Amino acid sequence: MNPLTFIARRLGAAVVILVILVAAMFTLSHLSHTDPAHAYLGAGASKSAVAAERAKLGLNLPITTQFFHYVGNFLHGNLGVSYRTRNPVTQDLAEYLPATMELAFYALLLALLLGLMLGVASAGHWRGARILKFVMVSGASAPLFLLALLGILIFYGHLGWLPASGRTSMPNPPTGPTGFLTLDALLAGRFNMLINALEHLLMPATVLAIGPAVSIGRVLRGSLVTVLREDYIRTARSKGLRERAVLLRHALRNSVGPALSMTGLQAGLLLAGDVVVEQVFAWPGIGYYAAQSIPVGDFPAISGVTLVLGLGYVLINALVDILQRLADPRVRI
Amino acid sequence: MAMAEPFVTRQQSQFRGPSAKHHLPVSLQTRLREGNRPAWYAGSLLAVLTGLAVFGPALAPHSPLVPAGAAFTPPGHAGFLLGSDSIGRDELSRVLYGIQTSWFSALAVIASGVLLGGLIGLVAGATGGWVDEVLMRFTDAFLALPGPVLAIAVVAALGPSLFHTLIAVGIVWWPFYARIVRGEVRSLAARPHLEAARLSGASRWSIMTRHLLPGALPAIVVTASLDVGNLILALAGLSFLGLGAPAPAPELGAMAARNLSYLLQSWWVPIMPALAIFLLAFASNIAGDFLRDSLRNT
Amino acid sequence: MIMARAMTRHRQPEPLAVLPEYPGGPLSGLATTRGKHPHAPVITDIPASPAPPRPAERVAAVEDLHVTFRRNGRDVQALRGVSLEIAQGEILGLVGESGSGKSVLGLTLLGLHPARTTTIDGKLEVCNQSLVAATPEDWRRLRKTHMGAVFQDPMTSLNPTTRLGRQVSEVAGSSAEAIRLLNAVGIPDAERRLSSYPHELSGGLRQRVMLAMAIAGPPRLIIADEPTTALDVTVQAQILQLLRRLRDDLGMAMLFITHDLGVASQVADRIAVLYGGRLMEIGPAGEILEGPAHPYTDGLLRSRLTLTTGRDRPIASLAGEPPDPTQPPSGCPFSLRCAFVWDRCRDEMPAPTVKPQDTTGSHMVACWRTDDLASSGQELAGKWPAAPSAPGLAVLANNVTKAFTVRKGFRTQKLHALRGVSLEIAPGEVVALVGESGSGKSTLLRAMAGLLTIDSGSIEFGMPGHAQMVFQDAGASLTPWLSVSTLLKERLTRADLSSNERADRVRASLATVGLPAEVASAKPRELSGGQRQRVALARAIAMPPPMLLCDEPTSALDVSLAASILNLIGRLRRELSMAVLFVTHDLAVARMVADRVAVMYLGRIVEIGPVDDVVGNPRHPYTRALLASVPDPGAKLTTARGEPASPLDPPDGCAFEPRCERSGDDCCLCDPTLDLVRPSHTGPARLARKVACLHPIAGVPRIPGGLPTDRHEGDD
C-alpha cells in the first residue's frame, strides 16, 4: 500500500465517522425533548397549526425517509432553522465560524508549543522539574472557567492589561477575505487592528490551551523518559555527542509520536472547552452561539454546532494520523 | 520419584540445610514496604475525599437553598466562611453540597465506564479474531467522535438534568476503557505464561480470570484513578453550560456560571465553587499519581 | 546476497589505508610495539612487578574501583575494588556471569552512568586522564576523541528513525569518511547504505554499522559489550574475525565484555574473570584457558560445553548461584559456591597475586587456595545409565508446512516458517533441532505443542497425554501473580486426587527438580532465573508427560546454571522415560542432550542423524559451517559467508546455495530432498543418516577433537 492509498483510506474512515455523527445527530433530534413544530410556532399555537407545521417539517414520514431527507439536507448544507434566531442554522454558523476557527487555531498552536516546552523541561533532572510537575498537575486540574475567571479578575479587573470580551474593541473591523481577524488586519495593513485583535485573543486562547498543553506535555515527558533509556541514546552518548544534540537529534524525534496523537485527542477537549470559553469571554463564535442556544433548547443550532466541531475534530485527527504515518520510516514502503 | 544416586548433582545440595530460606531473594518484603507507601498515600487521599463527599452536607452550617444573611457578604464575615451569594445563601454550604454531587457523579461514570469498557475490552482482547475486530471497530468509531462535544449535544437533546448528564458522559467515556483493557489484555496474551497455562490444561475460564484479568487490573485501577479528575472537570463544564440540575440546585459548575456577572464586584461568588472543583480534581490527580508510582515500583 | 563479499578479508584495502593514522605512531609500527610486549603486566599494586608498564602503553587503568548505584531503593554494589589495566593495542576479554559487574565496568570507563545514583570510588584513568572527579563534559570529550563503543543488541542500539548515513557521519564528520568507515567494516555497497534505515539491515550488518561508528577517529579504546551475543553463530564468527582484524589494522585497545569464555578465547589477548564485582583472575588468554588458577574460572571452563565434552556423564556444574549484589559477602564472593572453601575465604578477600607456577608474572589470581586447585584431580560425576527405550513412536510429523502473514510497512508478506518438515521421535528419545534464526525450529516445536495450527501435513502423537513445553524465558512462562504451588496444582486439575495428594505431588515435583518445598509458596518474581526454569520443569512433570518440548531452555541462563539445567533434563528424561524435542541454536548443547540431531535451515531439515555421527562427520555444508562457527577455546573459526536467508523470500533451489562455497550450477535450480546418506542403512529407519544436498561432503572417519576435511563426494 503506498502513502496515497493510506491517505485515501484514512480520509475514507473520516467520512464514515462523519456519517455516524450525522446519524447520531438525527437520532438525538428525535429524542429531543422539544417538539420542533411547537418550538417554531410558539407556546400558544393551535393544534391544527401544529399538525400542519409537523406535516410541513416532514415529521409524519417514515423514520427512514426522514433520515434520508436529513442526510440529503446535510449534504446540501441545510441544517434546519434555529428556534431562537429563526435563521437557517447554516447562515448563523457561517457568521460565527471564523471567530471560532481563529481562536481554536491559536489555542491549538499555543497548546503544542507550551506542551513541547513543558514536556522537555519536565523530562530533565533539574531542580525546577519537581515544581514544574506540581504546576502541571495544577494546570490539569483547573476547570476552564476558573482559569478564565481568574484571568479576567487579574488581567482585566485589577491590572487592566487585557480586554475581557469580544474579538476587538476597534471600529470597522475588516470583514474578509480569510475571516481571521489577525490575518485580515495584516492584509489590510492595519497594525493597530492586529495588535488589538491579538490582545483580545491572548486570554481566551491561553485559557483554552493550558489543559491540552499539560496533557501533551505529560505524554511527551513520559515518552521522552522512556526514549532516553533506549540503547540508541546510549550509543549517541558513547559517540561523544553533546547532551543537547542527543536530546534534539535522537530523543525528541523518537518521542513526539505519542505527543502528536495526544494533540489529536486533546483537540476534542479543546473544541468542547471552546463553548465554555467563548461564553465567558463573549467571543462571537459558534461556541457562544451554542451556549446561547442551550438554555432555550434550540436543538437545530446545537446539532449544527456539534456537526461543525465534529468535522473539525475528525479532520484534525486524520491529519495527525497521516503526518505520523508518513514521518515514520519503519512503516514507509 | 526417588532419585538414583548418580543423579544427585552438586546443584541440589544448595537447598539443604539451614541456609535454604536465605536463598530466596529478600526483595519481596522490602519492595512491599517501599512500593506500598505511595499506594497508602493514594488510598488515604481518596478516602478523605470520599469522606468529605459523604459527610459534607452534614457539616454544612446552613441550608444550601435558603438565604441565611445579607447578600454579597465577603468571605470570613458574619459567619460566612466563604461569603454569601447574590441572595444571601451561604457559599460554604452550597459548595459542600456541590462537592458531594461532583464526586459521586464522577465515581458513577468511572464505574460504568470501567464495567462496560472493561467487559468489552476483556472479551475482545481475550477472544481475539473476528470478535476482537468487530468490538474494536465499534469502540474506535466511538473514540473517533469528539466525545465532550457529543456529550453537550446528547444532554441538550435529552433535556438538562444531572441524570442526563451522567448518561451522556457515560456514553462517550467507556470506549477509552475498552481500548486500555483490550491493549493490556493483548499484551498479556502475547506473554508465554498464557501459552504455558493452556498447555498446563487450564480451562478458558481459568485462563481469563486467573492468568489474564489480575494482570490487567493494576492498569485499569491506575487509569481510572487518574481519570477521576478529568471527569470532575468534564461534568463541571457541562454544568457550567447549564446542562446539569436546574436552577436552585447547588452544583459547582452552574454556581460559577450563574454568578459570572458578579465577578468584578464580588469575586468569591463565582470563584469559590470553581476553586472547589479545582481542589477536588487536584486531590484526585495527586492520588492517581501516587497509585501509579506504587505500581511502577513493584 | 548482500553479504556475499562481506567476510572476505582485506577485500577493500584502500579505505583502511586512508583512515587517519593512530596518533601514537604509524600503523606499521604497531605490530612491533605489540610484539615486544604482547602481555605486559597489568596490575599495579603487585609488590614485585617484574616490568612496570610504561605510561605510554597504558590506554586505560582502574585501581581499587568501587561502583555503587541505587536500584529500587537499595544499594547495588556492582564493583567492589577492581584493579586492571588495558595496554595499547591489546584486546582484554572481560568475562563474567550476569551480575558480575562486567558491563558496569565498561559503562564506567565510558562515563555513561547516570551520575545521580552512581557513586564511583578509586582510581580511574583513560588515555592518561584521571577521571574520578571528571565532569560530564570531560567524559564527553574523551568519548568523542579517544573512545568508541559497541553494544549487545544492534537492533536497539541504532536510532530507528534516522538514516544510517547521518548516524555514521555524526561521528565520522563527513559522508566521505562515513563511506570509508562502512567499507572498512565490510559493508558492501556502502554508499547506497547511507540512505538506509536500521530496520532495513540484517543483524550482522547493523552490528557492523555500530563498529563503523566505534572506530571513527580512530579511537584509542573500544568498549565492546557482548557485541556478538544477539547474533547467529555464523554471524558471530564473522564479527569476531572482523574485530580482530580492525584491531590489527588500527591498533586500538579493546575491552571485550562477554559471558562466554569461548568467545573471549577467540579474540582476547588477555582475559580477566570477574565475579561478584571482584576480579578473580587475569592473565594471558592461553594461560587462563589451559591452566585456570581460580576455582571459579576452572568451574566456568568445566561447565562450558564444547564439541569435545564427554557426553556420557552429567556436566560438571557449579553449585548455587551468584551472590546478591545488594548484600555481597564480606569475603571472597565465590566462597558460597566454592568446593575448596576455607574459613578464611569467607572472612577475607585475597588480593590478586602472581600464579605460583607462572614465570612471566602476568597471570594473577585472587584465591587463597590456588595451590590446592592445581594439585586436585578432576572429579567426574558418575556415568548416565542407558536411556530407556520403548517400541512405537512418541510423535510423527509428516511434511509439515506453516506460513505466517506478516505486515511489513504498508504491505503484507508470507513468512515461510516451515517448508515441509518430517520428523519422528521414539518414546524416551531426545532429538535436538538446531538452526539459526529463521530456520523454523521454534515454529515446529510450537506446532507440536498445539500452540499453532499447521497449514498442511500432519502431526500425530503415539502416546496418551499432552506434550508439555519449557520456554526460553522461564520467568515469562510463569504467571507472575500466582504462587508456584497454584501453578503446579493447575496441572493436576484433571487428575483424580485429593487436596492432600495434590500438595504431596507439588512437593515431590519440586524435590525432583531440586527445589526446596518452601518454593511452593513463592511467586515467580521472588525466584532467580535458574530456580524459575526448575519451576517450569516441575510444572511440566507434575503429571509426567509422554513428551517434553524444550525451546532453548538454557540460552537465557548463565553458563554454570545452564549446565545444571541440562543435567536436570538429562536426568528427568531417563527417570520419566520422556521423549524430548530440544530446540537450540548451539550445536554443543545439542550434542550434550540429544540422541539424534536435526539441522534446520530456512524451514527445512537439511541434515539429520545420530548426534555423534552428525557432529563428527557433517555431510551438509551448512552443518559444517555451523560446527566451524562454534567458538570453542582453541578452535579455529572458519565460517559461511553472509547471514541466514530471509524466510520472507526463500531463494530458489537450495536455500543455502547463496552462502555455500561448494555450490554447483545445479544448486540454484534444483531443490534437494532429504535423502539417505548410506542407502545400505540397517536398523530402525528413523535412525538413518539423511542429508539434503546435491554435493554432500564425503564421509571421512571422525578425527577425535577435530573437524573433518573438505572433499567432494564426487571427486573420489
Side-chain angles (χ1 to χ4, degrees):
Chain A
M1 187 157 71
N2 70 37
L4 279 180
T5 323
F6 174 72
I7 293 172
R9 263 199 196 186
R10 188 61 190 78
L11 291 179
V15 170
V16 172
I17 298 300
L18 277 180
V19 170
I20 294 175
L21 192 62
V22 171
M25 284 305 121
F26 173 76
T27 316
L28 286 178
S29 73
H30 275 261
L31 290 175
S32 175
H33 64 294
T34 340
D35 181 56
H38 275 291
Y40 287 126
L41 296 173
S46 68
K47 266 195 176 160
S48 60
V50 169
E53 184 70 16
R54 286 186 69 86
K56 201 178 106 197
L57 291 170
L59 292 174
N60 300 329
L61 295 170
I63 197 94
T64 42
T65 320
Q66 284 192 49
F67 179 63
F68 286 118
H69 282 184
Y70 190 88
V71 174
N73 284 338
F74 173 75
L75 291 177
H76 287 101
N78 178 3
L79 298 174
V81 175
S82 161
Y83 304 158
R84 187 171 61 92
T85 64
R86 306 282 158 148
N87 294 328
V89 171
T90 323
Q91 185 191 324
D92 284 347
L93 287 177
E95 191 187 333
Y96 289 115
L97 189 58
T100 297
M101 283 177 70
E102 187 172 30
L103 177 59
F105 172 77
Y106 282 101
L108 206 57
L109 200 68
L110 206 59
L112 255 175
L113 289 177
L114 265 176
L116 205 67
M117 291 194 309
L118 285 174
V120 172
S122 62
H125 287 299
W126 53 294
R127 231 170 290 158
R130 281 193 99 108
I131 300 171
L132 199 63
K133 200 185 159 196
F134 186 79
V135 171
M136 283 168 79
V137 177
S138 307
S141 311
L144 270 178
F145 48 88
L146 176 64
L147 295 173
L149 293 179
L150 287 178
I152 291 175
L153 201 60
I154 295 167
F155 295 105
Y156 172 74
H158 282 269
L159 299 171
W161 290 354
L162 292 172
S165 66
R167 292 179 85 185
T168 175
S169 49
M170 288 177 77
N172 313 319
T175 49
T178 62
F180 276 41
L181 210 48
T182 46
L183 210 57
D184 290 339
L186 201 63
L187 290 174
R190 295 170 64 185
F191 293 104
N192 285 344
M193 184 75 228
L194 174 68
I195 305 275
N196 186 264
L198 284 176
E199 277 175 0
H200 280 81
L201 259 172
L202 187 58
M203 220 162 20
T206 310
V207 166
L208 210 44
I210 282 178
V214 169
S215 296
I216 295 167
R218 280 174 144 188
V219 169
L220 183 62
R221 174 182 181 276
S223 62
L224 252 181
V225 166
T226 314
V227 164
L228 281 171
R229 276 193 223 117
E230 293 281 350
D231 288 350
Y232 56 83
I233 297 297
R234 186 178 59 184
T235 305
R237 289 196 174 124
S238 78
K239 292 179 189 171
L241 297 185
R242 283 173 206 285
E243 206 50 26
R244 193 156 44 126
V246 172
L247 188 72
L248 294 181
R249 268 190 245 161
H250 291 279
L252 210 52
R253 166 109 197 246
N254 286 293
S255 28
V256 288
L260 214 58
S261 302
M262 195 42 154
T263 309
L265 288 178
Q266 287 297 315
L269 222 58
L270 193 141
L271 292 176
D274 173 75
V275 182
V276 171
V277 166
E278 287 191 5
Q279 195 192 359
V280 178
F281 289 98
W283 189 266
I286 58 174
Y288 186 70
Y289 177 62
Q292 300 297 311
S293 308
I294 287 170
V296 294
D298 184 356
F299 194 74
I302 295 168
S303 80
V305 171
T306 308
L307 283 170
V308 168
L309 292 180
L311 180 70
Y313 176 75
V314 169
L315 286 182
I316 288 172
N317 276 287
L319 191 70
V320 165
D321 277 5
I322 291 170
L323 279 180
Q324 243 174 348
R325 268 314 248 280
L326 296 186
D328 190 345
R330 280 164 294 188
V331 294
R332 222 168 10 194
I333 357 65
Chain B
M1 296 202 182
M3 278 176 260
E5 198 47 43
F7 299 132
V8 184
T9 57
R10 284 149 79 187
Q11 176 74 37
Q12 284 140 23
S13 60
Q14 160 193 1
F15 287 111
R16 306 224 172 97
S19 68
K21 193 91 190 172
H22 187 75
H23 271 273
L24 288 177
V26 290
S27 65
L28 178 70
Q29 294 93 346
T30 343
R31 272 199 182 166
L32 269 181
R33 210 170 42 232
E34 302 214 352
N36 258 1
R37 202 183 295 155
W40 187 245
Y41 294 153
S44 325
L45 206 48
L46 290 174
V48 166
L49 288 177
T50 309
L52 188 65
V54 172
F55 299 112
L59 299 172
H62 299 282
S63 155
L65 303 178
V66 183
F72 300 122
T73 313
H77 289 81
F80 293 123
L81 205 56
L82 301 182
S84 71
D85 70 1
S86 56
I87 56 169
R89 290 177 297 201
D90 179 30
E91 280 281 293
L92 177 64
S93 306
R94 287 178 68 76
V95 163
L96 284 172
Y97 274 87
I99 285 177
Q100 184 175 49
T101 316
S102 225
W103 183 248
F104 286 117
S105 304
L107 289 193
V109 175
I110 293 273
S112 71
V114 167
L115 282 181
L116 185 63
L119 190 68
I120 290 180
L122 184 63
V123 170
T127 317
W130 66 268
V131 176
D132 182 31
E133 187 80 3
V134 168
L135 285 176
M136 281 303 112
R137 281 285 155 94
F138 182 64
T139 307
D140 282 347
F142 263 93
L143 273 179
L145 296 172
V149 178
L150 199 60
I152 295 176
V154 172
V155 197
L158 297 179
S161 87
L162 181 59
F163 182 62
H164 289 163
T165 306
L166 294 185
I167 289 186
V169 179
I171 288 176
V172 300
W173 222 261
W174 68 265
F176 181 57
Y177 286 94
R179 263 272 158 229
I180 295 220
V181 172
R182 189 255 179 196
E184 201 65 26
V185 167
R186 283 319 278 173
S187 76
L188 279 173
R191 275 178 51 108
H193 84 249
L194 276 193
E195 296 190 333
R198 258 171 70 196
L199 287 177
S200 274
S203 65
R204 272 183 98 87
W205 174 250
S206 160
I207 284 180
M208 192 110 95
T209 55
R210 281 167 94 185
H211 296 270
L212 214 47
L213 196 56
L217 221 47
I220 300 173
V221 170
V222 168
T223 312
S225 69
L226 282 170
D227 213 19
V228 176
N230 293 336
L231 256 176
I232 289 172
L233 295 184
L235 291 169
L238 290 176
S239 165
F240 184 86
L241 289 174
L243 292 169
E251 237 180 53
L252 296 175
M255 281 164 69
R258 293 193 191 110
N259 297 302
L260 264 186
S261 47
Y262 307 122
L263 177 69
L264 296 175
Q265 296 83 42
S266 313
W267 58 268
W268 60 90
V269 187
I271 295 270
M272 284 303 175
L275 264 180
I277 294 169
F278 166 71
L279 289 176
L280 214 52
F282 185 75
S284 51
N285 275 336
I286 294 283
D289 272 353
F290 275 133
L291 211 53
R292 185 180 52 194
D293 290 350
S294 79
L295 285 160
R296 192 185 288 151
N297 273 352
T298 46
Chain C
M1 268 166 282
I2 291 159
M3 290 298 302
R5 288 178 301 122
M7 267 324 293
T8 324
R9 293 180 112 208
H10 302 293
R11 183 55 71 87
Q12 281 113 351
E14 302 86 1
L16 278 177
V18 288
L19 280 170
E21 282 174 1
Y22 171 66
L27 285 175
S28 55
L30 284 170
T32 46
T33 319
R34 290 193 340 98
K36 270 184 214 160
H37 305 277
H39 307 306
V42 277
I43 293 185
T44 42
D45 54 350
I46 327 154
S49 185
R54 286 180 300 168
E57 287 185 327
R58 207 164 78 171
V59 174
V62 298
E63 202 180 315
D64 197 26
L65 182 70
H66 291 257
V67 176
T68 305
F69 50 88
R70 280 191 85 74
R71 186 186 287 158
N72 294 331
R74 301 200 298 162
D75 282 329
V76 177
Q77 302 184 29
L79 289 176
R80 308 200 294 133
V82 170
S83 304
L84 53 81
E85 287 190 7
I86 305 168
Q88 175 184 306
E90 93 167 329
I91 299 183
L92 176 65
L94 188 61
V95 179
E97 295 180 283
S98 52
S100 64
K102 57 186 192 304
S103 291
V104 173
L105 181 54
L107 289 176
T108 305
L109 283 171
L110 283 166
L112 285 181
H113 276 305
R116 289 177 310 123
T117 58
T118 311
T119 54
I120 299 174
D121 274 330
K123 281 190 192 163
L124 181 62
E125 186 191 301
V126 175
C127 297
N128 300 324
Q129 217 179 317
S130 176
L131 289 164
V132 169
T135 64
E137 181 59 19
D138 294 340
W139 278 115
R140 188 189 69 75
R141 287 219 190 89
L142 193 67
R143 290 196 293 269
K144 187 160 184 65
T145 49
H146 293 310
M147 292 170 92
V150 189
F151 299 109
Q152 175 168 349
D153 191 346
M155 179 76 221
T156 57
S157 292
L158 291 168
N159 186 340
T161 58
T162 307
R163 289 178 202 277
L164 292 175
R166 196 162 165 199
Q167 296 192 51
V168 181
S169 309
E170 201 171 47
V171 57
S174 67
S175 314
E177 179 66 12
I179 294 173
R180 267 206 298 270
L181 290 169
L182 291 176
N183 277 325
V185 296
I187 289 182
D189 216 354
E191 203 165 342
R192 199 172 54 83
R193 284 291 173 202
L194 291 184
S195 58
S196 301
Y197 287 98
H199 68 274
E200 295 164 347
L201 267 60
S202 63
L205 279 185
R206 282 190 210 120
Q207 200 58 302
R208 283 169 196 264
V209 173
M210 281 297 290
L211 263 170
M213 300 196 299
I215 60 165
R220 298 184 61 184
L221 176 64
I222 287 184
I223 308 291
D225 191 352
E226 303 257 14
T228 60
T229 309
L231 305 175
D232 278 319
V233 209
T234 53
V235 183
Q236 160 167 293
Q238 296 166 5
I239 296 290
L240 290 178
Q241 286 174 346
L242 175 64
L243 280 171
R244 255 203 111 97
R245 197 195 84 207
L246 288 172
R247 192 277 307 268
D248 292 348
D249 290 344
L250 300 171
M252 80 291 247
M254 190 182 303
L255 182 69
F256 186 95
I257 300 167
T258 175
H259 67 282
D260 187 347
L261 266 170
V263 169
S265 76
Q266 290 296 330
V267 286
D269 304 310
R270 288 193 305 138
I271 287 177
V273 180
L274 225 51
Y275 185 82
R278 293 193 190 263
L279 188 65
M280 299 280 109
E281 187 167 7
I282 185 168
E287 300 236 354
I288 297 258
L289 296 166
E290 275 152 37
H294 197 285
Y296 174 61
T297 318
D298 185 52
L300 265 189
L301 272 170
R302 287 195 202 192
S303 50
R304 186 181 188 283
L305 299 177
T306 70
L307 291 173
T308 52
T309 312
R311 51 183 296 265
D312 53 350
R313 61 186 82 235
I315 313 152
S317 66
L318 281 168
E321 301 191 10
D324 181 355
T326 62
Q327 296 171 320
S330 55
C332 174
F334 189 60
S335 59
L336 299 171
R337 303 168 76 182
C338 188
F340 296 85
V341 63
W342 269 0
D343 284 347
R344 192 177 184 187
C345 300
R346 296 200 181 90
D347 303 334
E348 204 181 333
M349 178 68 199
T353 48
V354 179
K355 183 188 170 191
Q357 302 88 336
D358 186 55
T359 48
T360 61
S362 55
H363 187 166
M364 319 278 300
V365 58
C367 182
W368 298 119
R369 306 212 50 196
T370 304
D371 300 334
D372 306 284
L373 175 72
S375 58
S376 79
Q378 192 179 352
E379 41 159 336
L380 287 175
K383 285 196 177 186
W384 290 118
S389 62
L393 279 182
V395 68
L396 171 63
N398 192 16
N399 206 16
V400 175
T401 68
K402 175 74 189 175
F404 297 99
T405 307
V406 289
R407 282 184 50 130
K408 199 176 183 188
F410 289 115
R411 53 184 95 180
T412 59
Q413 273 179 299
K414 284 271 185 221
L415 188 150
H416 301 274
L418 294 175
R419 305 190 298 142
V421 174
S422 301
L423 182 66
E424 47 195 77
I425 303 175
E429 186 188 31
V430 179
V431 174
L433 274 183
V434 180
E436 294 180 280
S437 54
S439 64
K441 55 189 192 301
S442 291
T443 307
L444 181 60
L445 193 80
R446 293 163 56 77
M448 290 209 176
L451 290 173
L452 45 86
T453 52
I454 53 177
D455 295 342
S456 70
S458 65
I459 298 175
E460 289 161 33
F461 290 92
M463 286 150 73
H466 201 287
Q468 288 297 304
M469 184 158 161
V470 179
F471 294 79
Q472 175 176 0
D473 184 352
S477 75
L478 302 171
T479 310
W481 48 88
L482 296 180
S483 72
V484 170
S485 78
T486 314
L487 289 170
L488 260 59
K489 278 179 188 157
E490 197 167 59
R491 279 275 289 141
L492 306 170
T493 43
R494 300 274 164 83
D496 187 22
L497 295 171
S498 72
S499 70
N500 269 347
E501 284 170 325
R502 273 180 203 175
D504 287 345
R505 261 304 175 81
V506 167
R507 229 167 308 166
S509 311
L510 287 174
T512 310
V513 299
L515 287 174
E518 297 97 280
V519 168
S521 58
K523 301 266 166 66
R525 182 181 67 203
E526 302 157 41
L527 304 171
S528 67
Q531 286 173 323
R532 284 180 202 151
Q533 200 55 283
R534 280 166 192 269
V535 169
L537 274 164
R539 188 191 203 185
I541 58 146
M543 287 279 283
M547 183 161 182
L548 186 66
L549 305 164
C550 300
D551 190 3
E552 305 239 20
T554 57
S555 62
L557 298 175
D558 280 320
V559 190
S560 61
L561 295 175
S564 64
I565 294 291
L566 291 179
N567 285 345
L568 179 59
I569 291 174
R571 198 188 84 216
L572 291 175
R573 69 163 280 215
R574 287 172 169 89
E575 283 180 1
L576 305 173
S577 304
M578 289 184 295
V580 178
L581 183 60
F582 192 101
V583 161
T584 176
H585 66 277
D586 188 342
L587 263 170
V589 169
R591 194 179 146 274
M592 280 309 287
V593 295
D595 304 319
R596 282 192 301 141
V597 60
V599 179
M600 288 189 74
Y601 191 77
L602 213 65
R604 296 244 172 105
I605 292 177
V606 295
E607 182 160 14
I608 186 168
V611 69
D612 278 327
D613 202 8
V614 171
V615 170
N617 193 3
R619 296 305 188 93
H620 198 285
Y622 176 62
T623 312
R624 189 177 60 177
L626 268 187
L627 283 164
S629 304
V630 176
D632 281 346
K636 178 137 175 52
L637 298 192
T638 50
T639 170
R641 60 198 177 204
E643 297 183 36
S646 165
L648 286 170
D649 182 22
D652 290 334
C654 172
F656 189 61
E657 187 272 333
R659 303 176 69 191
C660 186
E661 47 196 18
R662 300 170 58 89
S663 67
D665 294 339
D666 44 352
C667 289
C668 59
L669 301 171
C670 181
D671 206 355
T673 52
L674 194 60
D675 292 327
L676 287 177
V677 167
R678 283 179 289 269
S680 57
H681 172 77
T682 51
R686 66 182 166 83
L687 296 179
R689 181 80 190 277
K690 291 180 186 172
V691 63
C693 182
L694 295 176
H695 307 285
I697 301 159
V700 176
R702 185 179 172 212
I703 307 156
L707 294 167
T709 49
D710 183 3
R711 224 188 299 162
H712 270 272
E713 195 129 82
D715 295 346
D716 295 14

